[in-house]
C-alpha cells in the first residue's frame, strides 16, 4: 500500500471515531424550558391558573395574575371558548387608561393573533424586563368603543427581578 492511502485511511478512521465520541457525549445544558400557561378566553374574562370567574366587579381584572422571573421564556396557549374573537397581549400597566396607545406588546412576540371562537393560538416570548405589566384582550369586537379589557378581560403580569 502506498503512504497516501494509509494516511487517507487513518484520517477517515480518526474522523469516524471522533464523530462517534462526539455523538456519545452527554449533551450540554438543555435550552431553558418554556413555562406553559394555559388560558381560556371568553366574554369577558380569562380562565386559567386556578382562576375561573366569568363576571368580575367593574374596573377590576377578570383573569389570573401571571407571575414570572425576568428572562423567563413563557409559552401562552390561548383557547377561545367564547363567541367572539379574542387575543392575548402583554402591555404597559397604563394600557387600560390610554385607549389610543394600543396594539403594541411590551415584549417582542408577546401578542397572539386574533383568535376565533373554538380556535387556539400559541405564542412564545421572553419576559425580558422586571416590572409590573398587564395582559389582556384589546380587541373591540362587539364592544366598540370599549375594548374587551375595558370589560374586565385583563390580568396582572408581574415580572420579578
Ligand atoms: Cu377579547
Amino acid at each position: 500500500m502506498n503512504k497516501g492511502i494509509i494516511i487517507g485511511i487513518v484520517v477517515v478512521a480518526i474522523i469516524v471515531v471522533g464523530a462517534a465520541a462526539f455523538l456519545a457525549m452527554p449533551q450540554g445544558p438543555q435550552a431553558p424550558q418554556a413555562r406553559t400557561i394555559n388560558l381560556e378566553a371568553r366574554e369577558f374574562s380569562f380562565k386559567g391558573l386556578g382562576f375561573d370567574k366569568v363576571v368580575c366587579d367593574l374596573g377590576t381584572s377578570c383573569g389570573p395574575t401571571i407571575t414570572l422571573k425576568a428572562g423567563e421564556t413563557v409559552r401562552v396557549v390561548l383557547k377561545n371558548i367564547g363567541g367572539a374573537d379574542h387575543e392575548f397581549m402583554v402591555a404597559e400597566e397604563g394600557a387600560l387608561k390610554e385607549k389610543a396607545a394600543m396594539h403594541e406588546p411590551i415584549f417582542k412576540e408577546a401578542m397572539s393573533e386574533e383568535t376565533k371562537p373554538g380556535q387556539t393560538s400559541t405564542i412564545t416570548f421572553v419576559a425580558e424586563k422586571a416590572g409590573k405589566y398587564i395582559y389582556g384582550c384589546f380587541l373591540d369586537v362587539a364592544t366598540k368603543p370599549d375594548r374587551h379589557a375595558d370589560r374586565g378581560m385583563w390580568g396582572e403580569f408581574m415580572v420579578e427581578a
Side-chain angles (χ1 to χ4, degrees), residues 41-46 80 84-88 115 136-141 143 147-149 153:
R42 64 191 162 199
E43 300 80 47
F44 293 102
S45 61
F46 287 98
N80 187 346
D85 289 7
H86 294 296
E87 67 170 7
F88 173 95
T115 307
C137 174
F138 297 94
L139 299 178
D140 59 4
V141 184
T143 55
R147 300 157 304 176
H148 296 177
M153 214 172 167

Side-chain angles (χ1 to χ4, degrees), residues 92-112:
E92 307 169 53
E93 217 189 350
L96 285 173
K97 286 174 202 144
E98 294 160 40
K99 294 207 179 195
M102 268 292 79
H103 271 336
E104 278 297 316
I106 193 101
F107 303 124
K108 213 171 141 216
E109 314 291 341
M111 180 181 179
S112 76

